[in-house]
Amino acid sequence: MKKHTTLIFVLLFSISQLSNAQAAIVAMIFGDKVASEKFNLSMEIGVPFSSFSNVDDLKMRNGVNFGIAGNLQLSENWYVSPTVYFLSKRTFLLENTDLHSNDDYLNGLYMNTRAKTVISYTDLHVLFTYQISNSNFRFGLSPQVSFLSKAKGTYEGTEGEFTQKITDFVNKTDYGVIANVGYFLRSGHEGKGLIFNLRYYQGFTDVLKDNFATGKNKSSYIALHVSLPFLTDELAAKNKKPEPISED
């Protein structure tokens, strides 16, 4: 837990330090048209706390989402953001489980034990958001499709920890829907903006195969998420200026 928390803070610090240079690179490659308020790219990082239905003795653990999004303003209030998470880890702890392998001796050593399980995906979703007029709050929905990249379980035992590849016990595709509540801090990130999001994901498919966990094991998670848009320096300077006070 401490290791993952430290990694998250290191990533956030690194992103804040590197974002200006990356924005400049994006602008040089694609031009200012992909670094405007109407359309821009953004770096995406999140911390999901995952669970699965019909799995006994499960405890949520924090994972990591990391990727990139394209953000298009459709109108004054509506936005759409196609997003890919190249790294999407859903992590949980099984308090009382057994090792499933072809080695009966190993299975006997790791019976009724704890196991930390990490399922890694590549996630694709398209987030549609509505920002309330004269407000910084945004509300959105998104379909999501996740493609399995790998999965592993680390089992505790008297002989020490044993890590097993469990990709064969996990179905290749998961899909569901995301509900999102966001807050847009225009002056944050040195005027380039910050979007803080609280997300809930509900999967519709059976994630774990019956030889690992019986029943319908649908995935769900609550995630804290940050979006860091890439904007031009001119727009950033404008966003950092205080709003003029109107005189009645």
Side-chain angles (χ1 to χ4, degrees), residues 51-56 121 169 171 174 202-210 212-220:
S51 184
F52 294 83
S53 61
N54 298 313
V55 178
D56 296 331
Y121 290 98
F169 299 139
N171 289 312
D174 181 37
Q202 178 59 61
F204 300 146
T205 62
D206 187 10
V207 174
L208 306 173
K209 296 181 180 179
D210 288 342
F212 189 84
T214 58
K216 288 286 186 179
N217 312 123
K218 297 179 181 179
S219 173
S220 62

Side-chain angles (χ1 to χ4, degrees), residues 26-204:
V26 169
M28 281 193 303
I29 296 175
F30 299 104
D32 289 347
K33 291 183 179 180
V34 297
S36 69
E37 290 184 324
K38 294 293 184 181
F39 178 73
N40 59 72
L41 302 178
S42 61
M43 188 173 295
E44 308 289 317
I45 185 168
V47 182
F49 296 86
S50 301
S51 184
F52 294 83
S53 61
N54 298 313
V55 178
D56 296 331
D57 301 318
L58 181 147
K59 290 187 176 181
M60 292 189 294
R61 291 292 183 267
N62 62 285
V64 176
N65 290 338
F66 185 78
I68 192 168
N71 307 291
L72 176 64
Q73 184 175 6
L74 300 176
S75 65
E76 182 179 351
N77 301 100
W78 286 98
Y79 300 81
V80 61
S81 300
T83 305
V84 55
Y85 290 141
F86 305 106
L87 175 65
S88 178
K89 290 188 176 183
R90 304 180 197 176
T91 305
F92 56 97
L93 183 68
L94 297 174
E95 287 284 3
N96 187 14
T97 189
D98 300 329
L99 177 68
H100 301 274
S101 74
N102 296 323
D103 190 318
D104 292 336
Y105 176 72
L106 277 178
N107 292 342
L109 291 176
Y110 297 94
M111 291 180 62
N112 303 319
T113 188
R114 298 175 64 181
K116 178 184 175 183
T117 304
V118 181
I119 302 177
S120 298
Y121 290 98
T122 299
D123 293 342
L124 300 174
H125 72 252
V126 181
L127 179 66
F128 293 89
T129 56
Y130 179 84
Q131 181 164 332
I132 300 173
S133 298
N134 301 318
S135 172
N136 292 331
F137 284 98
R138 296 180 177 183
F139 300 89
L141 289 173
S142 173
Q144 177 169 283
V145 180
S146 303
F147 301 97
L148 179 67
S149 55
K150 60 183 178 180
K152 67 177 182 178
T154 301
Y155 296 81
E156 298 179 4
T158 57
E159 302 295 323
E161 291 185 346
F162 179 80
T163 299
Q164 179 192 33
K165 179 181 176 182
I166 60 170
T167 307
D168 292 339
F169 299 139
V170 182
N171 289 312
K172 301 299 182 184
T173 307
D174 181 37
Y175 62 86
V177 65
I178 293 172
N180 185 86
V181 178
Y183 183 85
F184 179 43
L185 184 61
R186 184 179 297 274
S187 60
H189 189 208
E190 297 186 353
K192 291 180 169 62
L194 278 172
I195 305 175
F196 298 98
N197 300 283
L198 177 63
R199 292 181 174 173
Y200 175 76
Y201 170 77
Q202 178 59 61
F204 300 146

